[in-house]
Amino acid sequence: MLQAGGILPVLFGVGYLVWRLVTPSECTWLTPSPQDWSEAGVRPLTDAACALQPGTTVIGARVAGDSALLTTGSGQVVTLPLDPSGPLITQRLSESVWTLAFVVGFFALALYASWRRPTERAAGIAVVMSGALLGSTIITIVGLPAHDAFAGPSRWAFAGGTLPMYLLAWGAGLAWAAVFPTPLLRRRAYMVVTGACLVPVTAWTLAALLLGATSTTFTGWMHSAIVVQMSLTVTALAASLAILGVRLNCSSQVVPGSVPRQQLLWVAGSFCVAAVLTLALWMVPQLIAGQSLLPPELIGAPGLFFVAGFGIAMARYRLFDLDVVLARTLVYSGLTLAAIVMYLSTSAILAAGFNALAPGQVAVIGALLVAIIVNPVRVRLERSVNRVFYGDRDEPYAALSRVAEGITDRGAPDAKVAYDIRRALRAPFVVITDRQGRAIASGDPAAVANGCVEFAAHHAGQDEGALQVAARGAGERFSGTERRLLADIARQIGAGLHEQRLVLQLQQSRERIVVAREEERRALRRTLHDEVGPTMAALSLRAETVRRNITRSGAGSSDIDPVLSSMSADASQAAEVLRKLAYNLRPPALDEYGLEAALRRYTQSVQDPVVSFVADGPLTTVPMSAAVEAALYRIAVAAVTNASRHAHACACTVHLSVSSDCVRLTVTDDGRGLPANAVKGVGILSMQERAAELGGSCTVSNASPGTRVCAQIPVGGAT
């Protein structure tokens, strides 16, 4: 029923066009513009060679023989010959080519969608909308001859084909906004659609009847009816924009990149752009000031945005699931066009270059050339169309190469790899799961409800994870080619996951070694500082005490005193060496005060440059191993030392911040920065190695001004 509601206006418009083509007319025409109609008469448009001056008001007309006699407002009668209407209509159609491109393209897409999905309510409403637009646009472009404005049924056909039919289009647009992509009211969707389509037309009909009772002439009634129709059209368009705006806003809560959201963005977004431009440049200025900002012939040009968005949603995001039929239609339509062009071109070249050839020979040679070339063209065309619709399904090497490149560049499968697979097969959702259960996904998880295929990611006989790909639609299955491609990709992913697991194990082992080393250093420092150091100091004191007692009692000899003095000095020197050794093993401030306080005390102790310390967040709430604390402390000390020694900085800032999974240290100074082509010294390499040992990173770069050292080390891993 909806399809019939869209086709009937088109038939009406085509019938009107045929009537205009077969009926001779003068060089004037009227459009459904309030400027063309008034209570006094009409003000028709004319072509350049017309005897009637532009802007002349015509108050009456009649046909006499093969001429139209138009009576102007000044009482003058202008005689215009009735010529075949073909040239004038052809000129009018050529001037409105952009508008025709919009309405014809929109109607073709909507009719195609409705033909393939007859139960889809949004597609049916689009047929009504596009059909009403196409039919009314045809009648508007070809116009009404001025001599038919005062009598005859053609004026009523013109009024009915432009005013309520045009309003039906935007009423259908309002209904379409209410049901696309899902009905606003599911239980009463039919009532919503019917009401949205008919309410504007019904309101205009009631207003037209009321105007008929008050207007004394048809031309005056037409003027008022056009104003009412324009007001209702602007209202319907504004309501449609409001509904689509709400839908677009609500779509932001959907998973980004999901197919339904992309469909809505392309279709509704392009509709909003076209509607806003039409309102701003044509409808509202004409309603308020009586004249549009751009020529009326271009009013359909913004609609091409909507046609493009509608087509992209169908082709790339499977709107109405028309991709298979649409792809085949494009292939064979393009192939037919290419064959015709090749045949005609070949025939023309042969006829021009070889005069001795008979027409039959030219035709045979042209047909043979087309037969030879058509298959390679078909293959290339089909490959191009399939790439647009199905990605790299027909080019498994390209898909495998892209996935392998992604894994190689980033060391392991990540979200980009999942996205590449989804794009390669135009799948709505892809998830990669490793053997620990960690998942990397891309797309709309709700698409899993359509069904999915799963491939194990094996490598070297071990199960490293799995690759899951959701079906493109409910009940749809991947082809054999696609399944083989996915199996190959799963093997690539298995190799990547295996490498990732080995790298992770190696890193964890390295971190455990570093942590154990730091713990041993801390224990050794405690032993040296708390046990060996005091013992050596006690030995020194005892040796000094013995020496003094012997000297005081006078029982000593000259040989004993130097020996005891040497023993005391050696013991003191050994105690000092042990103290320095204990400090180098691990800064004592870390064990006594913690990382934050240790850094604060260190920065306060430095005089050149002036160092300030900033800490973000409650650092004590995040557990950090002794290795992490020591590494950050030593990186900070090395960075400040470099700022003083090499950068000649006057001020320096140490910034420490902690998140749930890492701790970040940034040291910036106002020195002269890194020189061009600088070579990493021992200090920079040492800082980077300390961070890398714990799975972190350390970068040194130029700031403005000065140098920035940024170290980031994960916490909670190796403890």
Side-chain angles (χ1 to χ4, degrees):
M1 182 177 177
L2 289 173
Q3 288 80 356
I7 294 174
L8 287 177
V10 177
L11 295 178
F12 188 83
V14 173
Y16 186 90
L17 174 63
V18 173
W19 169 76
R20 287 282 284 121
L21 285 172
V22 300
T23 305
S25 64
E26 73 276 15
C27 54
T28 66
W29 70 92
L30 295 165
T31 66
S33 170
Q35 292 178 304
D36 295 357
W37 304 82
S38 66
E39 192 71 29
V42 297
R43 189 175 295 172
L45 302 174
T46 62
D47 62 13
C50 188
L52 184 69
Q53 294 297 320
T56 302
T57 300
V58 178
I59 61 174
R62 62 186 177 86
V63 176
D66 56 355
S67 298
L69 306 179
L70 305 183
T71 304
T72 65
S74 61
Q76 182 184 3
V77 177
V78 179
T79 302
L80 300 176
L82 294 176
D83 298 323
S85 302
L88 179 61
I89 291 177
T90 302
Q91 177 188 347
R92 292 284 300 146
L93 293 175
S94 63
E95 291 174 349
S96 306
V97 63
W98 294 111
T99 300
L100 285 173
F102 158 56
V103 293
V104 172
F106 182 27
F107 180 71
L109 286 177
L111 194 64
Y112 188 80
S114 179
W115 174 51
R116 298 301 307 175
R117 297 291 298 272
T119 59
E120 186 68 41
R121 186 176 285 109
I125 296 174
V127 173
V128 176
M129 180 181 177
S130 59
L133 275 178
L134 178 56
S136 61
T137 300
I138 292 174
I139 299 174
T140 300
I141 291 174
V142 300
L144 178 71
H147 74 268
D148 285 325
F150 300 93
S154 57
R155 55 178 180 169
W156 294 106
F158 177 78
T162 53
L163 302 185
M165 189 183 298
Y166 192 66
L167 198 54
L168 174 65
W170 297 118
L174 181 60
W176 178 81
V179 300
F180 181 82
T182 55
L184 290 177
L185 299 175
R186 293 182 180 276
R187 293 185 178 182
R188 299 181 178 180
Y190 182 78
M191 296 180 61
V192 171
V193 170
T194 306
C197 287
L198 297 182
V199 165
V201 178
T202 304
W204 178 87
T205 303
L206 295 175
L209 293 175
L210 181 62
L211 293 171
T214 58
S215 299
T216 58
T217 62
F218 175 81
T219 56
W221 173 86
M222 191 69 179
H223 173 84
S224 302
I226 292 172
V227 174
V228 172
Q229 176 262 326
M230 293 176 63
S231 302
L232 291 173
T233 299
V234 171
T235 303
L237 260 178
S240 303
L241 286 175
I243 294 175
L244 291 176
V246 173
R247 285 183 176 273
L248 289 172
N249 184 44
C250 294
S251 71
S252 60
Q253 301 175 5
V254 183
V255 177
S258 63
V259 172
R261 185 166 188 262
Q262 292 298 324
Q263 291 177 351
L264 181 64
L265 287 177
W266 278 104
V267 178
S270 58
F271 179 86
C272 290
V273 171
V276 169
L277 290 176
T278 304
L279 286 172
L281 299 178
W282 283 276
M283 292 187 175
V284 173
Q286 191 173 37
L287 184 63
I288 296 176
Q291 187 173 5
S292 60
L293 299 180
L294 293 178
E297 291 80 8
L298 298 177
I299 191 172
L304 294 176
F305 287 106
F306 178 58
V307 174
F310 200 83
I312 291 174
M314 290 173 61
R316 292 189 64 87
Y317 299 103
R318 304 174 53 79
L319 180 64
F320 304 135
D321 293 335
L322 301 177
D323 55 322
V324 177
V325 178
L326 189 58
R328 294 294 174 266
T329 303
L330 286 176
V331 169
Y332 290 106
S333 300
L335 186 62
T336 303
L337 178 62
I340 293 173
V341 171
M342 285 188 293
Y343 177 79
L344 295 178
S345 302
T346 304
S347 300
I349 294 173
L350 291 175
F354 302 92
N355 296 328
L357 292 176
Q361 293 174 318
V362 171
V364 170
I365 295 175
L368 288 175
L369 290 176
V370 169
I372 294 172
I373 298 175
V374 71
N375 190 57
V377 173
R378 181 192 64 79
V379 172
R380 292 179 181 274
L381 189 60
E382 193 170 44
R383 185 180 301 166
S384 301
V385 172
N386 286 345
R387 177 185 291 275
V388 173
F389 281 84
Y390 308 113
D392 297 328
R393 185 189 66 177
D394 294 341
E395 298 183 48
Y397 176 78
L400 279 173
S401 176
R402 187 178 301 111
V403 172
E405 183 179 353
I407 294 175
T408 303
D409 290 346
R410 293 177 284 278
D414 58 5
K416 181 65 168 55
V417 173
Y419 170 77
D420 286 341
I421 298 172
R422 187 167 67 86
R423 188 188 63 172
L425 294 175
R426 296 290 185 267
F429 180 67
V430 170
V431 58
I432 300 171
T433 309
D434 64 11
R435 59 192 305 175
Q436 285 77 32
R438 292 171 297 204
I440 302 167
S442 175
D444 183 9
V448 176
N450 298 331
C452 60
V453 293
E454 180 174 342
F455 298 88
H458 292 298
H459 182 73
Q462 296 184 359
D463 185 8
E464 299 292 345
L467 169 65
Q468 284 185 310
V469 183
R472 300 189 185 95
E476 186 172 340
R477 297 181 178 180
F478 289 101
S479 65
T481 303
E482 292 171 328
R483 296 178 71 88
R484 288 193 295 274
L485 174 59
L486 287 172
D488 291 340
I489 291 176
R491 281 191 284 273
Q492 290 280 343
I493 291 175
L497 291 175
H498 179 75
E499 181 181 354
Q500 182 188 34
R501 184 166 59 84
L502 293 182
V503 170
L504 181 62
Q505 290 177 351
L506 178 61
Q507 180 62 38
Q508 291 175 343
S509 175
R510 189 178 183 184
E511 291 176 10
R512 285 194 292 270
I513 292 174
V514 173
V515 170
R517 184 191 67 193
E518 289 300 324
E519 292 297 336
E520 288 180 354
R521 284 187 173 187
R522 179 158 63 179
L524 183 58
R525 186 195 69 80
R526 287 175 178 172
T527 301
L528 293 175
H529 183 270
D530 299 341
E531 298 178 11
V532 181
T535 300
M536 295 303 297
L539 286 175
S540 175
L541 291 174
R542 288 173 183 172
E544 183 65 20
T545 302
V546 170
R547 187 187 65 78
R548 289 177 180 176
N549 291 335
I550 293 175
T551 302
R552 190 179 300 115
S553 62
S557 65
S558 59
D559 296 334
I560 296 176
D561 185 71
V563 174
L564 292 175
S565 298
S566 176
M567 289 178 59
S568 176
D570 291 343
S572 299
Q573 185 177 3
E576 180 62 21
V577 171
L578 287 175
R579 189 186 66 81
K580 293 181 178 179
L581 179 61
Y583 181 86
N584 291 331
L585 286 173
R586 179 173 172 83
L590 290 177
D591 294 331
E592 296 176 9
Y593 309 109
L595 177 61
E596 180 181 354
L599 285 176
R600 193 179 302 279
R601 291 171 65 88
Y602 168 72
T603 54
Q604 292 173 350
S605 66
V606 178
Q607 301 299 323
D608 184 21
V610 177
V611 182
S612 58
F613 177 73
V614 179
D616 290 343
L619 303 180
T620 56
T621 61
V622 179
M624 284 184 278
S625 64
V628 173
E629 290 181 339
L632 290 171
Y633 184 86
R634 293 185 189 282
I635 290 174
V637 172
V640 172
T641 302
N642 287 340
S644 173
R645 184 178 301 169
H646 303 296
H648 303 292
C650 297
C652 188
T653 301
V654 177
H655 184 193
L656 186 66
S657 61
V658 177
S659 64
S660 60
D661 57 351
C662 71
V663 57
R664 183 185 181 92
L665 173 72
T666 305
V667 180
T668 55
D669 63 61
D670 62 349
R672 60 187 181 183
L674 296 172
N677 302 322
V679 179
K680 293 180 181 178
V682 176
I684 294 177
L685 291 176
S686 176
M687 289 189 292
Q688 292 177 336
E689 287 177 357
R690 288 184 185 280
E693 284 178 343
L694 297 168
S697 62
C698 179
T699 59
V700 182
S701 59
N702 278 322
S704 54
T707 308
R708 177 186 295 109
V709 177
C710 182
Q712 183 169 302
I713 298 178
V715 294
T719 57

